[in-house]
Structures are given as structure tokens and as C-alpha cells.
């Protein structure tokens, strides 16, 4: 393979520079063009202007939770390899498993950082591949109605979500996702989710039938909801979580009853807890990401506290659990 001789652009934020002062000058010494993203993550439109360059993003955060959120937005909103810089107050041991697109994790005090970042810029960012072929197994026993899976996800859940969808045969269920994400990144997130999971993603901008075998996400800054018909639509949010997992899961419970499957993944806060309890009360199946496996355990723990009979499970095992009836 020929070496990539294109000029290099490195996107570096203020949080990474706070951990590694002088990193911008060191990168310039490595013949890299340094672009400061300050306290924002690299914007997709700006990144696209440098498509003819080799690029890499170096992303930090004021806390571990902030880092996870910023890394997810960068990875799901761009095609850049991402180098994550752990904050100074991060636990001294253990390296978090972020997901596709994150090519390296740097801890405070790491050596030869600039050269390491330049090397990571050559790592290709690819999708994580196709999941099982549609129809290769059933999600639920044949006598039961096709499941309608509603997923609430936030910080730390993006990569888990793509892995979960990759394991579900395309078209074998109806899937609706409420992923907390900035409105500016929602469209790019939908494209990234389709690339990494191989599910075609329908971005809901106006009311439409909730068709069998489809995957739905809402348009940026709106809540995705399900109503009788069944109809899937977007509404202006009223709460602090956007899109709201509670709105999505509660609507799925009301419309689909025992055919509903609720899943609450990693995230801060308690969004999804009310909706998951509604699914359980309607006779549907309730799952949470096992809190110990979540990067941020608050959401699954809150859901499990409200619905003790919800099943805590590693998301990699969820499809097998569903297939078991």
C-alpha cells in the first residue's frame, strides 16, 4: 500500500490542549496544519472543506462524561479518525472502549503525543461491517407478533447502539431510536448509524405510517413519537431531554402493547425510565444495559430502579435474549 502523502490537518480542541500544553506547536513541527476547534467539536460542514487532506480529530473534555459525549458527536458527525484525550481527573487505570472511529486514547503524561497523533491519522475509518443476513434467525418465536423495539440512548450509548443494530437482522423488527444529540448533528448521526449498522434509517420529518421492518430516528431538535395508526411523527420537545426516550417508549407501549420491546442504554439522567415502566406495564419486554457495562450508568440504573423486573443485560446478548422468547 502506498503511503498517504496528502497534507495533514489536525483538529484540536481546548480541552486536549489543557492536558497537553504546546501540543499545537509540536504538531506543527510534524508538518501538520493545526485547526483549533476551541470548545466545540469539529463541525461537519467545516471538516468537509478539507476533504482533499488527511485529517484527524483530537478531542478532550472537562470531565469523563463530557469527553464521552464530545467523542461520540465527533465520530458520528464526521468521517475522521478520533483520538480521545482523557481529562486530568480521569481514573488512573483502565481504558474505556468507545467504539468505531476512535483510533487511540491518550492519558495525561503520555509521551511522544504529536508523533502518535500523526501516526493515527493514517488509520482508515470504516464501518463495522454487516450484521447477520435478514432472516438468518428469528428475534421472537414464530407465534408472536414482530417486535417493535424502542431504544433510549444518551452519552456512552451511541457506539453500543450501532453494535446492537448490527446484530439484529435488517428488516426483522421495527426499530425506533431516541438518541440524545445536538440538533446540528442529527442528520449526520442518522447517516453514520446507517453506515455502521447497515440498517436503512428513516429520518422522520413529518407524520408517516410506522411501517414494519424499518428503523426510525427523529429530525434534529424534535421528539420522535408513535401514535395510533400506527403513525410515527415528530413534535416540539417540552422536557430537557431531546429527543425524549420517555415520549418514544411511552407511545410505543400505548400503541403496540405486548409486542413492544423497550431498551435503555448508557446515559446521564433518568430519561427512558418512565417509558420503560410503561412498556413493562403493557405486557412488553423491558431491558436495560447492565449498569456495570455502561460508560455512564445513570440512565439504565434509573430505569432498573423504577422497573425492577426489567432485565439488565450486556447489549451484545440482547438479540439472543429476545430470540429465547
Amino acid at each position: 500500500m502506498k503511503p498517504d502523502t496528502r497534507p495533514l490537518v489536525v483538529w484540536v480542541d481546548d480541552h486536549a490542549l489543557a492536558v497537553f500544553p504546546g501540543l499545537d506547536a509540536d504538531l506543527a513541527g510534524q508538518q501538520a496544519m493545526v485547526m483549533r476547534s476551541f470548545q466545540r467539536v469539529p463541525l461537519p460542514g467545516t471538516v468537509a472543506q478539507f476533504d482533499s487532506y488527511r485529517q484527524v480529530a483530537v478531542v478532550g473534555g472537562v470531565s469523563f462524561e463530557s469527553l464521552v459525549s464530545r467523542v461520540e458527536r465527533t465520530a458520528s458527525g464526521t468521517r475522521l479518525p478520533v483520538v480521545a484525550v482523557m481529562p486530568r481527573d480521569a481514573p488512573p487505570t483502565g481504558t474505556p472502549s468507545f467504539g468505531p472511529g476512535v483510533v487511540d486514547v491518550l492519558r495525561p503524561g503520555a509521551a511522544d503525543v504529536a508523533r502518535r497523533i500523526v501516526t493515527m491519522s493514517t488509520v482508515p475509518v470504516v464501518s463495522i461491517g454487516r450484521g447477520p443476513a435478514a432472516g438468518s434467525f428469528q428475534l421472537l418465536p414464530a407465534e408472536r407478533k414482530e417486535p417493535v423495539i424502542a431504544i433510549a440512548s444518551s452519552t456512552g450509548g451511541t457506539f453500543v447502539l450501532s453494535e446492537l443494530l448490527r446484530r439484529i437482522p435488517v428488516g426483522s423488527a421495527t426499530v425506533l431510536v431516541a438518541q440524545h444529540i445536538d440538533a446540528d448533528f442529527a442528520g449526520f448521526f442518522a447517516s453514520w448509524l446507517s453506515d455502521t449498522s447497515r440498517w436503512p434509517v428513516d429520518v422522520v420529518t413529518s407524520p408517516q405510517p410506522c411501517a414494519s421492518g424499518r428503523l426510525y430516528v427523529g429530525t434534529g431538535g424534535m421528539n420522535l413519537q408513535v401514535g395510533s395508526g400506527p403513525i410515527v411523527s415528530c413534535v416540539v420537545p417540552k422536557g430537557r431531554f431531546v429527543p425524549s426516550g420517555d415520549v418514544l417508549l411511552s407511545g410505543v407501549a400505548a400503541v403496540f402493547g405486548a409486542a413492544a420491546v423497550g431498551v435503555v442504554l448508557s446515559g446521564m439522567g433518568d430519561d427512558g425510565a418512565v417509558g420503560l415502566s410503561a412498556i413493562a406495564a403493557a405486557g412488553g419486554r423491558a431491558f436495560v444495559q447492565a449498569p456495570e457495562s455502561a460508560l455512564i450508568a445513570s440512565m439504565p440504573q434509573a430505569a432498573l430502579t423504577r422497573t425492577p423486573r426489567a432485565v439488565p443485560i450486556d447489549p451484545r446478548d440482547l438479540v439472543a435474549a429476545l430470540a429465547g422468547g
Side-chain angles (χ1 to χ4, degrees):
M1 180 182 296
K2 293 182 179 180
D4 192 338
T5 59
R6 293 175 299 164
L8 172 62
V9 172
V10 182
W11 301 86
V12 183
D13 67 21
D14 286 357
H15 305 296
L17 289 174
V19 176
F20 295 109
L23 176 59
D24 48 352
D26 293 342
L27 287 166
Q30 296 286 326
Q31 309 303 311
M33 180 190 302
V34 178
M35 301 292 290
R36 292 280 298 279
S37 54
F38 298 97
Q39 293 187 17
R40 298 200 67 178
V41 300
L43 297 175
T46 309
V47 168
Q49 297 176 24
F50 293 87
D51 276 348
S52 61
Y53 292 70
R54 190 166 86 251
Q55 301 186 63
V56 61
V58 184
V59 179
V62 295
S63 63
F64 179 68
E65 291 80 3
S66 170
L67 171 66
V68 172
S69 176
R70 291 169 63 79
V71 163
E72 287 182 321
R73 279 184 289 160
T74 304
S76 61
T78 68
R79 302 286 182 183
L80 304 182
V82 177
V83 175
V85 176
M86 296 288 278
R88 292 190 180 279
D89 62 352
T93 59
T95 300
S97 176
F98 286 103
V102 181
V103 295
D104 200 2
V105 178
L106 299 174
R107 287 192 165 275
D112 209 11
V113 171
R115 187 177 299 277
R116 189 164 159 179
I117 291 168
V118 171
T119 300
M120 290 300 103
S121 71
T122 64
V123 176
V125 176
V126 296
S127 70
I128 55 179
R130 292 186 178 274
S136 60
F137 64 88
Q138 292 177 311
L139 281 176
L140 295 175
E143 67 271 13
R144 294 189 61 180
K145 184 179 178 181
E146 177 196 86
V148 179
I149 304 175
I151 304 173
S153 175
S154 187
T155 306
T158 302
F159 299 122
V160 175
L161 174 62
S162 69
E163 172 67 11
L164 173 59
L165 291 171
R166 188 174 70 89
R167 293 170 181 268
I168 299 175
V170 174
S172 64
T174 300
V175 182
L176 304 104
V177 173
Q179 170 70 50
H180 298 167
I181 198 163
D182 294 349
D184 290 344
F185 286 82
F188 296 95
F189 165 72
S191 176
W192 175 85
L193 191 61
S194 180
D195 287 346
T196 57
S197 72
R198 299 305 188 188
W199 274 76
V201 178
D202 289 349
V203 179
V204 178
T205 57
S206 58
Q208 63 188 75
C210 185
S212 175
R214 307 294 296 177
L215 190 157
Y216 297 98
V217 299
T219 192
M222 303 287 278
N223 279 344
L224 182 66
Q225 69 174 12
V226 175
S228 59
I231 296 292
V232 61
S233 62
C234 280
V235 295
V236 176
K238 296 180 180 179
R240 62 192 177 106
F241 298 114
V242 182
S244 168
D246 282 330
V247 168
L248 175 61
L249 271 64
S250 295
V252 168
V255 173
F256 293 101
V261 177
V263 183
V264 177
L265 300 179
S266 172
M268 291 182 284
D270 60 359
D271 189 32
V274 171
L276 192 70
S277 67
I279 285 178
R285 306 191 68 190
F287 295 90
V288 300
Q289 180 175 357
E292 63 272 16
S293 75
L295 281 175
I296 311 295
S298 304
M299 270 176 48
Q301 187 60 65
L304 191 58
T305 298
R306 189 178 182 97
T307 308
R309 61 192 174 106
V311 179
I313 196 168
D314 187 313
R316 292 172 298 182
D317 299 326
L318 178 59
V319 173
L322 290 171

